Amino acid sequence: MQLRLILVLIGILIGVLPLNSCTCGVIGSPTMQGSFDGSDLVVVGTVISGEEFRTLDSTSMGSRYFRYPQMRYRVVISEKFKGNFRSDTVTIITGMGHGDCGYQFGIGYEYIIYGYKQYKDRSSDRVVNFFETDICTRTRGASDLKKIQELRMLVSEQN
């Protein structure tokens, strides 16, 4: 009887606990230099819009399906430290923040954003001004003026 109750409770817990959780893979924060070098985009910008979306993927069998939901944010750049794009706005892709490592931006707020892996339009494979970020990067609110000053010094030392 007790064994049956224990097994039922374990089954309930397994059904309730999230199966996907964020794992950054690195213990502790990398250095600013390391984060800068490993990023394709480092900017300060204000988030002007955000929307949930799902990308359409193909399986090896040729059927099409929608991936997990993500967020797409438009950001107006006020200061660019690193990145290959011409526009003063950029699109940032991130997870929803429910165990998928997504960074939850606030509309109208300014952030220091570290982005990576320039995103491709899956329907045409053309590169667009999309970058990904998550809570495992050094992305954070831009109210930390000391971090912005450190970035400015880092870039000036490299030039």
Side-chain angles (χ1 to χ4, degrees):
M1 179 70 175
Q2 286 181 346
L3 180 61
R4 190 176 297 177
L5 179 61
I6 291 172
L7 291 173
V8 168
L9 289 174
I10 290 172
I12 289 171
L13 284 174
I14 289 172
V16 174
L17 294 175
L19 296 177
N20 294 331
S21 61
C22 178
T23 309
C24 293
V26 177
I27 297 173
S29 292
T31 64
M32 182 177 283
Q33 179 72 56
S35 294
F36 186 87
D37 292 344
S39 297
D40 299 311
L41 169 87
V42 180
V43 297
V44 174
T46 302
V47 176
I48 58 172
S49 68
E51 65 179 349
E52 182 180 327
F53 79 105
R54 293 174 186 253
T55 57
L56 191 61
D57 279 342
S58 298
T59 66
S60 60
M61 302 296 286
S63 62
R64 296 173 74 73
Y65 68 97
F66 288 98
R67 289 178 48 196
Y68 54 88
Q70 294 178 291
M71 290 297 294
R72 175 174 35 219
Y73 293 98
R74 293 291 297 157
V75 177
V76 175
I77 305 304
S78 56
E79 192 166 358
K80 176 180 160 183
F81 298 103
K82 184 177 183 180
N84 187 15
F85 57 93
R86 295 182 189 156
S87 176
D88 65 341
T89 62
V90 68
T91 300
I92 302 295
I93 305 297
T94 192
M96 299 294 289
H98 307 291
D100 63 3
C101 297
Y103 192 97
Q104 295 183 333
F105 292 99
I107 309 301
Y109 291 94
E110 189 173 48
Y111 295 89
I112 303 167
I113 301 171
Y114 288 76
Y116 55 93
K117 295 180 185 172
Q118 196 167 26
Y119 211 82
K120 289 188 176 187
D121 179 344
R122 294 183 193 281
S123 61
S124 66
D125 265 350
R126 70 182 170 88
V127 175
V128 291
N129 280 343
F130 283 34
F131 294 87
E132 295 177 286
T133 196
D134 54 44
I135 62 171
C136 300
T137 67
R138 294 179 73 91
T139 296
R140 64 187 55 182
S143 60
D144 192 343
L145 298 177
K146 181 179 177 188
K147 297 296 179 193
I148 295 174
Q149 280 300 104
E150 289 175 16
L151 274 170
R152 288 176 182 146
M153 287 177 32
L154 180 71
V155 170
S156 68
E157 289 171 2
Q158 292 182 348
N159 292 332

PDB file of all heavy atoms in Angstrom, residues 3 20 24 28-29 99 106 117 128 142 147 155-156 158:
ATOM      1  N   LEU A   3       4.035   1.502  -0.855  1.00  0.00           N
ATOM      2  CA  LEU A   3       4.805   1.544  -2.091  1.00  0.00           C
ATOM      3  C   LEU A   3       3.958   2.098  -3.233  1.00  0.00           C
ATOM      4  O   LEU A   3       4.424   2.904  -4.030  1.00  0.00           O
ATOM      5  CB  LEU A   3       5.330   0.146  -2.441  1.00  0.00           C
ATOM      6  CG  LEU A   3       6.160   0.047  -3.715  1.00  0.00           C
ATOM      7  CD1 LEU A   3       7.397   0.926  -3.603  1.00  0.00           C
ATOM      8  CD2 LEU A   3       6.545  -1.386  -3.988  1.00  0.00           C
ATOM      9  N   ASN A  20      12.027  20.922 -19.316  1.00  0.00           N
ATOM     10  CA  ASN A  20      13.083  21.759 -19.891  1.00  0.00           C
ATOM     11  C   ASN A  20      13.456  22.819 -18.876  1.00  0.00           C
ATOM     12  O   ASN A  20      12.604  23.494 -18.339  1.00  0.00           O
ATOM     13  CB  ASN A  20      12.604  22.454 -21.172  1.00  0.00           C
ATOM     14  CG  ASN A  20      12.329  21.458 -22.263  1.00  0.00           C
ATOM     15  OD1 ASN A  20      12.941  20.409 -22.316  1.00  0.00           O
ATOM     16  ND2 ASN A  20      11.391  21.773 -23.126  1.00  0.00           N
ATOM     17  N   CYS A  24      23.061  27.073 -18.448  1.00  0.00           N
ATOM     18  CA  CYS A  24      23.984  27.896 -19.212  1.00  0.00           C
ATOM     19  C   CYS A  24      25.271  27.174 -19.565  1.00  0.00           C
ATOM     20  O   CYS A  24      25.984  27.595 -20.455  1.00  0.00           O
ATOM     21  CB  CYS A  24      24.288  29.188 -18.455  1.00  0.00           C
ATOM     22  SG  CYS A  24      22.842  30.257 -18.323  1.00  0.00           S
ATOM     23  N   GLY A  28      29.564  30.372 -13.170  1.00  0.00           N
ATOM     24  CA  GLY A  28      30.074  31.722 -13.008  1.00  0.00           C
ATOM     25  C   GLY A  28      29.980  32.505 -14.306  1.00  0.00           C
ATOM     26  O   GLY A  28      29.729  31.960 -15.367  1.00  0.00           O
ATOM     27  N   SER A  29      30.156  33.799 -14.208  1.00  0.00           N
ATOM     28  CA  SER A  29      30.078  34.661 -15.387  1.00  0.00           C
ATOM     29  C   SER A  29      31.409  34.710 -16.101  1.00  0.00           C
ATOM     30  O   SER A  29      32.454  34.816 -15.465  1.00  0.00           O
ATOM     31  CB  SER A  29      29.690  36.079 -14.975  1.00  0.00           C
ATOM     32  OG  SER A  29      28.386  36.100 -14.506  1.00  0.00           O
ATOM     33  N   GLY A  99      12.096  28.652 -18.266  1.00  0.00           N
ATOM     34  CA  GLY A  99      12.997  27.513 -18.277  1.00  0.00           C
ATOM     35  C   GLY A  99      13.770  27.358 -19.570  1.00  0.00           C
ATOM     36  O   GLY A  99      14.546  26.429 -19.722  1.00  0.00           O
ATOM     37  N   GLY A 106      11.685  44.569 -21.143  1.00  0.00           N
ATOM     38  CA  GLY A 106      10.537  45.439 -20.936  1.00  0.00           C
ATOM     39  C   GLY A 106      10.483  46.473 -22.050  1.00  0.00           C
ATOM     40  O   GLY A 106      11.511  47.067 -22.400  1.00  0.00           O
ATOM     41  N   LYS A 117      24.991  34.489 -32.980  1.00  0.00           N
ATOM     42  CA  LYS A 117      24.442  33.671 -34.056  1.00  0.00           C
ATOM     43  C   LYS A 117      23.433  34.445 -34.898  1.00  0.00           C
ATOM     44  O   LYS A 117      22.242  34.269 -34.765  1.00  0.00           O
ATOM     45  CB  LYS A 117      23.761  32.415 -33.495  1.00  0.00           C
ATOM     46  CG  LYS A 117      24.699  31.469 -32.823  1.00  0.00           C
ATOM     47  CD  LYS A 117      23.946  30.268 -32.302  1.00  0.00           C
ATOM     48  CE  LYS A 117      24.869  29.371 -31.528  1.00  0.00           C
ATOM     49  NZ  LYS A 117      24.159  28.301 -30.844  1.00  0.00           N
ATOM     50  N   VAL A 128      19.429  38.115 -42.035  1.00  0.00           N
ATOM     51  CA  VAL A 128      18.730  39.364 -41.737  1.00  0.00           C
ATOM     52  C   VAL A 128      19.284  39.913 -40.420  1.00  0.00           C
ATOM     53  O   VAL A 128      20.099  39.272 -39.777  1.00  0.00           O
ATOM     54  CB  VAL A 128      17.205  39.127 -41.654  1.00  0.00           C
ATOM     55  CG1 VAL A 128      16.638  38.797 -43.018  1.00  0.00           C
ATOM     56  CG2 VAL A 128      16.884  38.009 -40.682  1.00  0.00           C
ATOM     57  N   ALA A 142      20.525  48.797 -18.863  1.00  0.00           N
ATOM     58  CA  ALA A 142      21.596  49.772 -19.121  1.00  0.00           C
ATOM     59  C   ALA A 142      21.755  50.773 -17.988  1.00  0.00           C
ATOM     60  O   ALA A 142      22.552  51.696 -18.099  1.00  0.00           O
ATOM     61  CB  ALA A 142      21.324  50.496 -20.441  1.00  0.00           C
ATOM     62  N   LYS A 147      29.196  49.415 -16.337  1.00  0.00           N
ATOM     63  CA  LYS A 147      29.402  48.391 -17.371  1.00  0.00           C
ATOM     64  C   LYS A 147      29.511  49.029 -18.753  1.00  0.00           C
ATOM     65  O   LYS A 147      30.285  48.578 -19.593  1.00  0.00           O
ATOM     66  CB  LYS A 147      28.274  47.356 -17.361  1.00  0.00           C
ATOM     67  CG  LYS A 147      28.193  46.568 -16.081  1.00  0.00           C
ATOM     68  CD  LYS A 147      29.433  45.736 -15.876  1.00  0.00           C
ATOM     69  CE  LYS A 147      29.355  44.963 -14.576  1.00  0.00           C
ATOM     70  NZ  LYS A 147      30.624  44.395 -14.170  1.00  0.00           N
ATOM     71  N   VAL A 155      36.531  48.724 -26.016  1.00  0.00           N
ATOM     72  CA  VAL A 155      36.535  48.986 -27.471  1.00  0.00           C
ATOM     73  C   VAL A 155      37.656  49.948 -27.833  1.00  0.00           C
ATOM     74  O   VAL A 155      38.331  49.760 -28.842  1.00  0.00           O
ATOM     75  CB  VAL A 155      35.147  49.518 -27.922  1.00  0.00           C
ATOM     76  CG1 VAL A 155      35.197  50.017 -29.340  1.00  0.00           C
ATOM     77  CG2 VAL A 155      34.097  48.437 -27.763  1.00  0.00           C
ATOM     78  N   SER A 156      37.885  50.996 -27.018  1.00  0.00           N
ATOM     79  CA  SER A 156      38.939  51.964 -27.338  1.00  0.00           C
ATOM     80  C   SER A 156      40.320  51.322 -27.255  1.00  0.00           C
ATOM     81  O   SER A 156      41.220  51.665 -28.010  1.00  0.00           O
ATOM     82  CB  SER A 156      38.859  53.191 -26.440  1.00  0.00           C
ATOM     83  OG  SER A 156      39.185  52.856 -25.116  1.00  0.00           O
ATOM     84  N   GLN A 158      40.986  48.270 -28.078  1.00  0.00           N
ATOM     85  CA  GLN A 158      41.131  47.382 -29.226  1.00  0.00           C
ATOM     86  C   GLN A 158      41.359  48.145 -30.525  1.00  0.00           C
ATOM     87  O   GLN A 158      41.828  47.574 -31.490  1.00  0.00           O
ATOM     88  CB  GLN A 158      39.909  46.471 -29.374  1.00  0.00           C
ATOM     89  CG  GLN A 158      39.817  45.478 -28.241  1.00  0.00           C
ATOM     90  CD  GLN A 158      38.645  44.531 -28.382  1.00  0.00           C
ATOM     91  OE1 GLN A 158      37.751  44.722 -29.197  1.00  0.00           O
ATOM     92  NE2 GLN A 158      38.627  43.494 -27.570  1.00  0.00           N
TER      93      GLN A 158
END
